[in-house]
Amino acid sequence: MKRNTWQREAVRTALGSNEGFVSAQSLHSTLRDTGSPIGLATVYRALADLAVEGEADSLQSLEGESLYRACTPGQHHHHLICRNCGLTVEIEADAVELWAQSVASEHGFTQPNHVVDVFGLCAECTAQVRPGR
Amino acid sequence: MKRNTWQREAVRTALGSNEGFVSAQSLHSTLRDTGSPIGLATVYRALADLAVEGEADSLQSLEGESLYRACTPGQHHHHLICRNCGLTVEIEADAVELWAQSVASEHGFTQPNHVVDVFGLCAECTAQVRPGR
DNA sequence: ACAGTAATGAGATTCGTTATCAATAATACA
DNA sequence: TGTATTATTGATAACGAATCTCATTACTGT
Ligand SMILES: [Mn+2]
Ligand SMILES: [Mn+2]
Ligand SMILES: [Zn+2]
Ligand SMILES: [Zn+2]
């Protein structure tokens, strides 16, 4: 049976208090900095579990690192992510869902999956990069 | 200045004779198996260069590995990839391009980028998995 | 309380990728 | 064509994210 430990809860809380996507390593550092003696392997396991249970979203950074974020459970959605500060907006895209389905079946593909992420500079970071322009 | 070496050409050729996405390691194995004494680091460098120059597409596998594929240069496009055999179809998705643009600007994001990949089982692999069903 | 066992965590290990750096070879030019 | 310049190569070391090992810990149901 699955057991409740303060470690899992600590990871859940730390993830929830974060605006954007974070890596297991940086989340572990954050927890350690706040005095938690949690182990790195436990953070990895907790994040993987949360992702399976639908409580966390995960994606691969452009460098191949796995990143996690507290997620609105239940509904399928995608993300608009600031490349600079990590600010993330959950977006729904019914049109894209349908498109993915149809393009797969048009080519005889079954059991379609898709990866859809939009990256950019958020309004705030845009203002910082081009001040007064 | 950039120099032409048989190593770069060998990587270009090997990549072009492959149907789907391949990793640097497996491409290196293939080249070695055909008698080429090319080094692993050189394969990594050649693939990275080809990707920058637009001659190769790259994506992160679900396990975080970087995969490469000879690419129709010039035009922006996405991929429909068989999870089982790697068969890849290049797809265009003007509607998705426009959607990505608009969803970014609606939230004040600039310089939008996007990652769009569709995975599934190709017709052939579907038939193998469910024979006669 | 106690037994059963899932969960933990320090450290070792795996594996993809990048850095090092001496040797090599492509290119420009005399 | 010969030579100097220097980009490129490749064996190896180094790096880093992620996973594995396994003895220890501590939930949970009874
Ligand atoms: Mn979706
Ligand atoms: Mn696109
Ligand atoms: Zn930002
Ligand atoms: Zn297939």
Side-chain angles (χ1 to χ4, degrees):
Chain A
M1 80 299 280
K2 188 139 143 273
R3 298 178 178 176
N4 290 326
T5 63
W6 64 262
Q7 287 93 336
R8 284 222 202 295
E9 194 53 38
V11 169
R12 206 195 311 268
T13 301
L15 198 65
S17 68
N18 209 303
E19 190 63 32
F21 282 83
V22 283
S23 67
Q25 307 253 7
S26 76
L27 202 65
H28 179 244
S29 295
T30 301
L31 286 164
R32 281 302 182 82
D33 290 347
T34 63
S36 173
I38 192 171
L40 177 59
T42 301
V43 174
Y44 271 102
R45 286 187 285 240
L47 288 173
D49 286 352
L50 289 173
V52 168
E53 295 159 15
E55 290 194 62
D57 273 324
S58 68
L59 58 83
Q60 303 283 329
S61 75
L62 298 181
E63 300 84 40
E65 203 179 13
S66 282
L67 303 181
Y68 297 87
R69 180 173 187 271
C71 171
T72 307
Q75 64 167 342
H76 177 82
H77 58 259
H78 296 266
H79 299 99
L80 172 59
I81 305 157
C82 177
R83 279 191 298 267
N84 185 242
C85 70
L87 173 72
T88 299
V89 180
E90 294 191 347
I91 53 183
E92 287 168 47
D94 296 335
V96 175
E97 309 298 330
L98 295 174
W99 167 81
Q101 288 275 345
S102 65
V103 77
S105 62
E106 278 170 20
H107 291 85
F109 279 59
T110 61
Q111 303 176 37
N113 244 356
H114 60 268
V115 176
V116 173
D117 294 303
V118 182
F119 296 87
L121 286 182
C122 73
E124 195 174 333
C125 289
T126 301
Q128 287 175 10
V129 172
R130 300 170 170 274
R133 278 289 168 77
Chain B
M1 80 298 280
K2 187 141 144 261
R3 296 178 180 177
N4 290 329
T5 63
W6 64 262
Q7 286 95 336
R8 285 224 202 299
E9 194 53 39
V11 169
R12 205 195 311 268
T13 301
L15 197 66
S17 67
N18 209 303
E19 189 63 32
F21 281 83
V22 285
S23 68
Q25 308 248 13
S26 77
L27 203 65
H28 179 243
S29 294
T30 302
L31 285 163
R32 280 301 182 81
D33 291 346
T34 62
S36 173
I38 192 171
L40 177 59
T42 301
V43 174
Y44 272 102
R45 286 187 284 240
L47 287 174
D49 285 352
L50 288 173
V52 168
E53 295 159 14
E55 289 194 62
D57 273 324
S58 68
L59 60 82
Q60 301 286 327
S61 76
L62 298 180
E63 299 85 40
E65 205 178 11
S66 282
L67 303 180
Y68 296 86
R69 179 172 187 271
C71 171
T72 307
Q75 65 167 339
H76 176 82
H77 58 261
H78 296 267
H79 299 99
L80 172 59
I81 305 157
C82 177
R83 279 191 297 268
N84 186 242
C85 71
L87 173 70
T88 299
V89 181
E90 294 192 346
I91 53 184
E92 287 168 46
D94 296 335
V96 175
E97 308 299 332
L98 294 174
W99 167 83
Q101 288 276 346
S102 64
V103 78
S105 61
E106 277 170 19
H107 291 84
F109 279 60
T110 60
Q111 302 177 37
N113 243 356
H114 58 268
V115 177
V116 172
D117 294 303
V118 182
F119 296 88
L121 286 182
C122 73
E124 195 174 332
C125 289
T126 300
Q128 288 177 8
V129 171
R130 298 169 171 276
R133 278 288 171 77

mmCIF file of all heavy atoms in Angstrom, chain A residues 34-51:
data_model
loop_
_atom_site.group_PDB
_atom_site.id
_atom_site.type_symbol
_atom_site.label_atom_id
_atom_site.label_comp_id
_atom_site.label_asym_id
_atom_site.label_seq_id
_atom_site.Cartn_x
_atom_site.Cartn_y
_atom_site.Cartn_z
ATOM 1 N N THR A 34 16.088 25.145 3.115
ATOM 2 C CA THR A 34 15.098 25.495 4.145
ATOM 3 C C THR A 34 15.206 24.559 5.345
ATOM 4 O O THR A 34 14.316 24.551 6.195
ATOM 5 C CB THR A 34 13.681 25.435 3.564
ATOM 6 O OG1 THR A 34 13.393 24.089 3.161
ATOM 7 C CG2 THR A 34 13.546 26.341 2.361
ATOM 8 N N GLY A 35 16.258 23.771 5.378
ATOM 9 C CA GLY A 35 16.493 22.956 6.561
ATOM 10 C C GLY A 35 16.016 21.528 6.472
ATOM 11 O O GLY A 35 16.239 20.735 7.387
ATOM 12 N N SER A 36 15.380 21.174 5.368
ATOM 13 C CA SER A 36 14.880 19.809 5.240
ATOM 14 C C SER A 36 16.018 18.844 4.927
ATOM 15 O O SER A 36 16.835 19.119 4.059
ATOM 16 C CB SER A 36 13.824 19.754 4.135
ATOM 17 O OG SER A 36 13.447 18.413 3.905
ATOM 18 N N PRO A 37 16.070 17.716 5.601
ATOM 19 C CA PRO A 37 17.138 16.746 5.360
ATOM 20 C C PRO A 37 16.764 15.708 4.291
ATOM 21 O O PRO A 37 17.339 14.628 4.249
ATOM 22 C CB PRO A 37 17.306 16.090 6.729
ATOM 23 C CG PRO A 37 15.925 16.088 7.290
ATOM 24 C CD PRO A 37 15.213 17.292 6.735
ATOM 25 N N ILE A 38 15.817 16.030 3.464
ATOM 26 C CA ILE A 38 15.328 15.063 2.462
ATOM 27 C C ILE A 38 16.445 14.663 1.511
ATOM 28 O O ILE A 38 17.328 15.466 1.193
ATOM 29 C CB ILE A 38 14.132 15.667 1.695
ATOM 30 C CG1 ILE A 38 13.421 14.588 0.879
ATOM 31 C CG2 ILE A 38 14.611 16.810 0.804
ATOM 32 C CD1 ILE A 38 12.119 15.070 0.270
ATOM 33 N N GLY A 39 16.410 13.422 1.053
ATOM 34 C CA GLY A 39 17.430 12.921 0.149
ATOM 35 C C GLY A 39 17.086 13.173 -1.309
ATOM 36 O O GLY A 39 15.918 13.319 -1.672
ATOM 37 N N LEU A 40 18.128 13.218 -2.126
ATOM 38 C CA LEU A 40 17.920 13.514 -3.542
ATOM 39 C C LEU A 40 17.098 12.435 -4.225
ATOM 40 O O LEU A 40 16.173 12.727 -4.989
ATOM 41 C CB LEU A 40 19.270 13.667 -4.239
ATOM 42 C CG LEU A 40 19.252 13.915 -5.740
ATOM 43 C CD1 LEU A 40 18.480 15.187 -6.072
ATOM 44 C CD2 LEU A 40 20.662 13.999 -6.289
ATOM 45 N N ALA A 41 17.422 11.188 -3.953
ATOM 46 C CA ALA A 41 16.696 10.093 -4.602
ATOM 47 C C ALA A 41 15.216 10.150 -4.266
ATOM 48 O O ALA A 41 14.364 9.849 -5.104
ATOM 49 C CB ALA A 41 17.283 8.751 -4.169
ATOM 50 N N THR A 42 14.912 10.562 -3.057
ATOM 51 C CA THR A 42 13.511 10.664 -2.647
ATOM 52 C C THR A 42 12.787 11.749 -3.433
ATOM 53 O O THR A 42 11.619 11.584 -3.805
ATOM 54 C CB THR A 42 13.426 10.955 -1.138
ATOM 55 O OG1 THR A 42 14.086 9.907 -0.438
ATOM 56 C CG2 THR A 42 11.986 11.038 -0.683
ATOM 57 N N VAL A 43 13.465 12.856 -3.697
ATOM 58 C CA VAL A 43 12.860 13.921 -4.493
ATOM 59 C C VAL A 43 12.560 13.402 -5.900
ATOM 60 O O VAL A 43 11.470 13.629 -6.438
ATOM 61 C CB VAL A 43 13.778 15.154 -4.550
ATOM 62 C CG1 VAL A 43 13.211 16.203 -5.502
ATOM 63 C CG2 VAL A 43 13.956 15.739 -3.163
ATOM 64 N N TYR A 44 13.502 12.696 -6.476
ATOM 65 C CA TYR A 44 13.278 12.114 -7.799
ATOM 66 C C TYR A 44 12.064 11.190 -7.779
ATOM 67 O O TYR A 44 11.205 11.227 -8.659
ATOM 68 C CB TYR A 44 14.525 11.338 -8.252
ATOM 69 C CG TYR A 44 15.529 12.176 -8.991
ATOM 70 C CD1 TYR A 44 16.671 12.636 -8.354
ATOM 71 C CD2 TYR A 44 15.346 12.511 -10.327
ATOM 72 C CE1 TYR A 44 17.615 13.408 -9.027
ATOM 73 C CE2 TYR A 44 16.277 13.274 -11.003
ATOM 74 C CZ TYR A 44 17.408 13.724 -10.355
ATOM 75 O OH TYR A 44 18.327 14.487 -11.014
ATOM 76 N N ARG A 45 11.998 10.328 -6.769
ATOM 77 C CA ARG A 45 10.885 9.374 -6.699
ATOM 78 C C ARG A 45 9.562 10.087 -6.485
ATOM 79 O O ARG A 45 8.543 9.743 -7.121
ATOM 80 C CB ARG A 45 11.151 8.374 -5.573
ATOM 81 C CG ARG A 45 12.231 7.360 -5.939
ATOM 82 C CD ARG A 45 12.385 6.260 -4.891
ATOM 83 N NE ARG A 45 13.079 6.706 -3.698
ATOM 84 C CZ ARG A 45 14.214 6.186 -3.234
ATOM 85 N NH1 ARG A 45 14.800 5.191 -3.881
ATOM 86 N NH2 ARG A 45 14.779 6.631 -2.134
ATOM 87 N N ALA A 46 9.553 11.083 -5.611
ATOM 88 C CA ALA A 46 8.303 11.792 -5.331
ATOM 89 C C ALA A 46 7.796 12.522 -6.578
ATOM 90 O O ALA A 46 6.596 12.476 -6.887
ATOM 91 C CB ALA A 46 8.514 12.774 -4.184
ATOM 92 N N LEU A 47 8.696 13.158 -7.295
ATOM 93 C CA LEU A 47 8.285 13.881 -8.493
ATOM 94 C C LEU A 47 7.750 12.929 -9.558
ATOM 95 O O LEU A 47 6.744 13.204 -10.213
ATOM 96 C CB LEU A 47 9.456 14.701 -9.049
ATOM 97 C CG LEU A 47 9.845 15.925 -8.235
ATOM 98 C CD1 LEU A 47 11.111 16.567 -8.785
ATOM 99 C CD2 LEU A 47 8.698 16.935 -8.204
ATOM 100 N N ALA A 48 8.422 11.799 -9.719
ATOM 101 C CA ALA A 48 7.955 10.812 -10.698
ATOM 102 C C ALA A 48 6.559 10.318 -10.324
ATOM 103 O O ALA A 48 5.685 10.178 -11.187
ATOM 104 C CB ALA A 48 8.940 9.646 -10.769
ATOM 105 N N ASP A 49 6.341 10.077 -9.031
ATOM 106 C CA ASP A 49 5.025 9.631 -8.579
ATOM 107 C C ASP A 49 3.962 10.697 -8.832
ATOM 108 O O ASP A 49 2.873 10.392 -9.327
ATOM 109 C CB ASP A 49 5.067 9.291 -7.082
ATOM 110 C CG ASP A 49 5.787 7.985 -6.810
ATOM 111 O OD1 ASP A 49 6.112 7.279 -7.782
ATOM 112 O OD2 ASP A 49 6.032 7.672 -5.631
ATOM 113 N N LEU A 50 4.276 11.928 -8.468
ATOM 114 C CA LEU A 50 3.316 13.012 -8.667
ATOM 115 C C LEU A 50 2.940 13.138 -10.143
ATOM 116 O O LEU A 50 1.789 13.402 -10.474
ATOM 117 C CB LEU A 50 3.890 14.342 -8.155
ATOM 118 C CG LEU A 50 4.005 14.474 -6.638
ATOM 119 C CD1 LEU A 50 4.732 15.753 -6.263
ATOM 120 C CD2 LEU A 50 2.622 14.449 -5.995
ATOM 121 N N ALA A 51 3.918 12.955 -11.008
ATOM 122 C CA ALA A 51 3.645 13.049 -12.440
ATOM 123 C C ALA A 51 2.716 11.924 -12.886
ATOM 124 O O ALA A 51 1.785 12.137 -13.663
ATOM 125 C CB ALA A 51 4.949 13.011 -13.230
#
